[in-house]
Amino acid sequence: MTKTAAYGTWTSPITTDVVLKSGVKVDELFVDPITATIYHIEARPSEGGRLVIVNTEKGEDVVGKDFNVRSGVHEYGGAPAVAYDGVIYFSNFKDSRVYRLKEGETPEAITPENANHRYAKFAVHPKQPHLLVAIREDHTNPQPSAVVNILCLINAKEKTVTPLVSGADFYSTPCFTPDGKHIAWQQWFHPDMPWEGAEVHVAEVRVNENSLTLSNAKHVAGKRIEVSAGYPVWASDDLLLLVSDESGYYNPWTYSISSGKAGPVLSKPVDEDFAAPFWRLGYNYGVPLDLEGKMALFTAVKEGRNVLYLVSLHGGTLEELECPYVNISSVQRVTYEAVVFQGQKHDESERVVLCNIKEYAKPKFTSVSAKAEAQELPFSRACISVPRSITLKTPETGDPVHVLFYPPTNPDFVAPEGEKPPAVVSAHGGPTSRAVPGLSTRIQYYTSRGFAWIDVNYGGSSGYGRKYIKRLEGNWGIVDVQDCAVAAQQLAAPPYSLIDAQRIAITGGSAGGYTVLMALCSFPDIFAAGTSSYGISDLVTLGEFTHKFESQYLFKLAGGTPSEVPDVYKERSPVNKADKIKAPLLVLQGSIDAVVPPNQAELIVSDIRKRGGRVEYIVFEGEGHGWRKAENIRTALEKELSFYEDVFGLRK
């Protein structure tokens, strides 16, 4: 029997426990290229947030509870492990050392004790598999300007580490040709982020049992400031596959050793991104299939969702494959006719998915997780709110604003006639990132209770080309904030009239938290409440205390350094405008966050309290940039919902 009840008061089967247990928390995938064994890195909130390696098909942990398989390179980490011919190498977060492991045996440290050295993104030499090339990030001097990134050589037999390539500010994605005679890598320099101006380089390799040296290094793609090239992987002994945004969108490119030339694969550029910004070292979106340089498989963003393409590297053609997954990441090659990826549907939790393309017209998708049955949703699919992709326009410039609108959805309830739902506007982090349409139980936690949810892919978001990303350059704190306001105003008004204009909250984490604070300052009459999770309140302080990877990111977003444009930093720091915040504010913060330190939160909290404004502040001890521990994830989720219920007068 359907009940009539006010929006925001509906009883939901999607409890906090359901959100905590929803799906396996897969961080990323990797595959042994020799044995084709699939592994994944799994987050364990119930074990203090540690990461473990799991044999995906067996569902068995590969490392014991003493290990946390995580890298701190770039602070965001990623790519902490690699497998080759039954041997796994991994970074242990507790001591920053690299370990060698054969399944069933005890891991053995292969790098010297040095807590200042961090390792990630390992490439195993195919002929001398005890020799690995990896990123080493040296924090001997922890000042961001003094942290040193290089490519190094790790000798697993001798347990030694030697420098291999240096000089750039950042390195990533070393990869060997199948014959081991060449290596490619990505590098970039300040002030670029990797999606702004990264280069791909190739060098010859000379190797014996005890040493590996490089010669004739060549810059083959990408250009500082102007063109981002990245995600290199060898399609054969001659052909390197990569992506470049020279056309304005990340499209597939190749470089041939024999011809010495690099260029686009497709005969005409496609206005779709075949890769995402390189925030984490484990990201991957395209792989060669046959290793003869003929075919590759990529995922791209089309109309706000991911699609799969079969790419002919010789013919320069694309064939879109029928695919039910709307969000795809961590694409890895398994065999010449199969890949594995992390996939989400609108109505299904994220899975580790094996895609077999033996028959191109009918690819076969199977969940390869041993825990697939446990991933079934513990609530009816009728409760799931399916997002509607809407493109709005800013009144002043006509620029597009891309949003995903999730309507309130619960088969057991209807709202009184004529009532509009309260809404939560969500500003994603990054800010060079995007909200994706795959199933999120956090979103469904709200929509099943009668809230609308609006994900705003504001100007500066990825997935819509380089020009859309660059809308935020020099305009952070303006474009993102205005786009969130536009989404709230236009969806509350005709012709949409989808939400209650008097009951709109805004939420976000990290850069999204900054957008929340700026929106409450700049548009105090639009948003009735806000939640900032580890959000930025003072741009000057952020520039002083952030880490190396992002240490100059801010200067482009703000349009200069604090000394060059001091007024911008003052005007766009919420702490200096806190007197304009009328709406109740909830602030959530980790005590050991190196990306956005706690003092950022405390500045604005103290300011609002001095004025007698309503602000609630929770610090999670031992947490960094985001919540890893189950008890903290629970507290954050429950507190935010109860905060809105109280502000909107929804208490039952």
Side-chain angles (χ1 to χ4, degrees):
M1 182 77 181
T2 304
K3 300 174 187 174
T4 299
Y7 283 120
T9 67
W10 300 349
T11 303
S12 170
I14 304 174
T15 62
T16 318
D17 283 333
V18 168
V19 177
L20 283 169
K21 295 174 182 175
S22 61
V24 176
K25 306 290 191 244
V26 174
D27 209 50
E28 63 186 68
L29 309 175
F30 62 102
V31 177
D32 188 320
I34 306 301
T35 67
T37 305
I38 300 165
Y39 299 95
H40 65 268
I41 309 285
E42 187 172 305
R44 296 279 170 80
S46 61
E47 297 177 24
R50 80 182 183 102
L51 298 174
V52 300
I53 301 172
V54 179
N55 182 310
T56 308
E57 290 170 283
K58 292 180 181 177
E60 296 174 356
D61 288 6
V62 175
V63 295
K65 293 193 174 183
D66 291 338
F67 294 95
N68 184 359
V69 184
R70 181 179 158 204
S71 165
V73 172
H74 298 174
E75 297 300 333
Y76 293 106
V82 70
Y84 193 90
D85 200 14
V87 177
I88 296 172
Y89 297 95
F90 68 89
S91 266
N92 183 35
F93 192 68
K94 291 179 181 178
D95 60 8
S96 292
R97 299 178 79 182
V98 179
Y99 286 76
R100 180 184 185 276
L101 169 68
K102 271 201 168 185
E103 276 199 64
E105 296 181 7
T106 303
E108 176 187 25
I110 60 166
T111 56
E113 285 188 49
N114 190 332
N116 294 318
H117 287 173
R118 304 175 183 182
Y119 299 92
K121 205 69 179 169
F122 306 98
V124 179
H125 193 274
K127 305 302 180 184
Q128 301 288 349
H130 62 287
L131 299 179
L132 290 74
V133 174
I135 304 168
R136 186 183 75 184
E137 188 171 84
D138 185 349
H139 289 252
T140 301
N141 184 335
Q143 289 296 319
S145 60
V147 171
V148 178
N149 294 63
I150 65 169
L151 288 180
C152 70
L153 176 68
I154 301 172
N155 186 322
K157 284 183 180 176
E158 301 295 330
K159 300 181 182 177
T160 57
V161 180
T162 52
L164 192 64
V165 184
S166 61
D169 289 311
F170 300 96
Y171 291 92
S172 185
T173 325
C175 54
F176 290 105
T177 49
D179 63 10
K181 293 180 180 179
H182 288 84
I183 188 173
W185 68 87
Q186 183 190 30
Q187 66 180 48
W188 65 98
F189 298 82
H190 283 316
D192 284 328
M193 297 299 284
W195 53 86
E196 293 174 327
E199 305 170 347
V200 171
H201 290 244
V202 171
E204 295 175 15
V205 176
R206 292 183 181 178
V207 66
N208 59 40
E209 189 175 351
N210 299 313
S211 70
L212 184 150
T213 58
L214 307 184
S215 61
N216 298 323
K218 184 178 181 182
H219 170 201
V220 302
K223 186 177 181 182
R224 290 199 213 182
I225 309 294
E226 296 179 18
V227 179
S228 170
Y231 297 101
V233 58
W234 291 98
S236 70
D237 287 331
D238 178 68
L239 200 66
L240 181 69
L241 182 62
L242 61 139
V243 296
S244 168
D245 71 354
E246 189 168 298
S247 70
Y249 289 79
Y250 272 132
N251 275 199
W253 273 47
T254 54
Y255 166 75
S256 165
I257 294 171
S258 57
S259 73
K261 293 179 181 177
V265 170
L266 306 178
S267 51
K268 289 184 180 178
V270 174
D271 288 353
E272 296 170 20
D273 279 321
F274 285 66
F278 197 50
W279 277 107
R280 298 192 73 226
L281 295 166
Y283 285 1
N284 202 55
Y285 302 94
V287 289
L289 292 172
D290 49 70
L291 299 187
E292 295 171 5
K294 294 178 182 176
M295 304 297 292
L297 187 132
F298 273 88
T299 185
V301 179
K302 183 178 183 180
E303 296 170 0
R305 59 157 287 178
N306 280 92
V307 294
L308 277 181
Y309 284 121
L310 196 64
V311 182
S312 169
L313 300 181
H314 288 323
T317 57
L318 284 179
E319 182 180 348
E320 184 175 344
L321 303 181
E322 192 176 313
C323 178
Y325 296 92
V326 296
N327 187 34
I328 295 170
S329 60
S330 203
V331 181
Q332 304 291 342
R333 179 185 186 273
V334 181
T335 68
Y336 67 94
E337 58 186 23
V339 302
V340 67
F341 58 76
Q342 290 169 248
Q344 278 180 303
K345 298 179 183 177
H346 286 309
D347 61 354
E348 189 175 276
S349 296
E350 186 175 84
R351 304 289 177 96
V352 177
V353 180
L354 185 71
C355 169
N356 190 301
I357 52 171
K358 190 171 185 178
E359 297 179 47
Y360 295 157
K362 289 188 177 180
K364 185 180 178 184
F365 300 96
T366 52
S367 176
V368 292
S369 171
K371 300 177 183 176
E373 289 182 14
Q375 291 174 271
E376 290 302 321
L377 298 174
F379 53 87
S380 167
R381 276 181 160 76
C383 281
I384 293 173
S385 177
V386 176
R388 172 182 165 192
S389 181
I390 302 173
T391 301
L392 307 169
K393 287 192 175 180
T394 57
E396 297 84 6
T397 62
D399 286 323
V401 180
H402 303 286
V403 304
L404 295 170
F405 175 78
Y406 293 80
T409 306
N410 188 320
D412 296 332
F413 290 91
V414 293
E417 191 173 343
E419 185 184 354
K420 299 297 180 186
V424 180
V425 170
S426 177
H428 61 72
T432 316
S433 182
R434 73 182 179 101
V436 297
L439 178 67
S440 160
T441 50
R442 181 193 174 207
I443 293 174
Q444 304 299 327
Y445 182 77
Y446 281 90
T447 56
S448 61
R449 285 169 170 76
F451 286 79
W453 184 280
I454 303 158
D455 273 332
V456 183
N457 281 321
Y458 48 76
S461 300
S462 59
Y464 304 96
R466 187 178 179 98
K467 183 180 176 182
Y468 197 73
I469 286 176
K470 287 179 81 67
R471 274 188 63 202
L472 207 58
E473 203 168 278
N475 290 305
W476 193 32
I478 297 176
V479 166
D480 50 322
V481 173
Q482 289 175 345
D483 285 0
C484 285
V486 163
Q489 287 177 306
Q490 293 189 11
L491 293 180
Y496 296 103
S497 303
L498 294 170
I499 59 176
D500 183 349
Q502 304 304 312
R503 297 187 294 170
I504 304 174
I506 183 166
T507 188
S510 190
Y514 169 70
T515 301
V516 167
L517 296 172
M518 283 297 289
L520 296 180
C521 295
S522 305
F523 296 95
D525 298 323
I526 292 179
F527 299 104
T531 299
S532 169
S533 300
Y534 42 96
I536 299 143
S537 68
D538 187 338
L539 295 188
V540 175
T541 309
L542 177 69
E544 291 171 352
F545 288 97
T546 193
H547 55 112
K548 181 186 177 183
F549 180 64
E550 290 185 288
S551 61
Q552 297 190 31
Y553 183 32
L554 173 60
F555 305 153
K556 281 195 181 180
L557 293 172
T561 65
S563 60
E564 291 168 342
V565 287
D567 290 346
V568 168
Y569 281 77
K570 183 179 179 181
E571 291 162 9
R572 295 196 213 156
S573 290
V575 71
N576 298 323
K577 306 168 68 136
D579 59 314
K580 292 186 169 66
I581 295 179
K582 296 180 185 176
L585 173 65
L586 172 64
V587 178
L588 306 174
Q589 177 68 39
S591 69
I592 58 168
D593 190 340
V595 180
V596 180
N599 69 313
Q600 290 274 307
E602 288 153 11
L603 285 167
I604 204 159
V605 168
S606 63
D607 190 287
I608 294 172
R609 281 179 177 163
K610 283 175 188 173
R611 289 189 295 105
R614 179 173 175 185
V615 60
E616 297 184 31
Y617 181 45
I618 298 175
V619 179
F620 296 117
E621 291 300 325
E623 291 281 24
H625 201 61
W627 326 133
R628 291 178 176 272
K629 298 174 184 175
E631 62 269 25
N632 296 333
I633 297 170
R634 176 188 299 278
T635 299
L637 194 63
E638 292 176 347
K639 182 61 186 175
E640 186 172 357
L641 175 63
S642 68
F643 183 69
Y644 299 148
E645 287 173 338
D646 187 48
V647 171
F648 294 152
L650 298 171
R651 297 286 189 201
K652 297 169 191 172

